[in-house]
Amino acid sequence: MADLTITAANVIAADGYGYRDMVAGEAVTRGAPVYEKAADGKAWLASCESTSAIAAAIGICLNDAAASQPVRVMTSGTLAFGAILTAGTTYCVSASGKICPQVDLATSDFVMRLGIATSTGNLVLSVYATGVEL
């Protein structure tokens, strides 16, 4: 899969974005998709390979956090990434817990849509756990 190469300083939320303040269950980085683990309610790195539960991302981290530290998770709105996107492309959670174009998902991956690029720099979040395994 071709994961996005994210520069943390370029990950900027637009005004009026939706978010959840959470506690990280493991070390997370700015720009990483996370899911909420039912057992502890903490933010853990999402992956499209494991199970539909782990593929069910709730949003994208807006700050780095070590395990048991606070993390803000963006759940809706427009997120700037710098000029690394392709306008009109749907982006999903990748196997490595990062973000990739949907067309790069492989057989047996779960489709976890994060959003659609409206330009080369902006991703409009429309987080949706399809539950569909390719």
Side-chain angles (χ1 to χ4, degrees):
M1 281 186 217
D3 290 337
L4 295 180
T5 301
I6 297 171
T7 301
N10 291 341
V11 178
I12 302 169
D15 289 339
Y17 67 93
Y19 66 90
R20 289 184 58 192
D21 286 329
M22 301 181 71
V23 173
E26 63 186 323
V28 296
T29 58
R30 191 175 192 174
V34 293
Y35 75 101
E36 181 178 6
K37 187 181 273 188
D40 61 14
K42 294 180 179 180
W44 294 79
L45 293 172
S47 171
C48 69
E49 281 192 325
S50 301
T51 66
S52 59
I54 294 174
I58 58 168
I60 297 174
C61 295
L62 292 178
N63 61 285
D64 296 343
S68 299
Q69 296 299 308
V71 62
R72 178 161 283 185
V73 179
M74 184 171 170
T75 58
S76 64
T78 300
L79 185 58
F81 279 101
I84 61 171
L85 305 171
T86 301
T89 298
T90 298
Y91 287 90
C92 297
V93 175
S94 75
S96 61
K98 299 190 190 254
I99 301 171
C100 72
Q102 183 174 341
V103 297
D104 288 346
L105 295 176
T107 301
S108 79
D109 286 346
F110 286 88
V111 180
M112 178 59 235
R113 183 187 70 204
L114 294 171
I116 299 173
T118 56
S119 68
T120 59
N122 291 325
L123 182 71
V124 174
L125 293 186
S126 55
V127 181
Y128 180 63
T130 68
V132 175
E133 184 178 6
L134 297 177

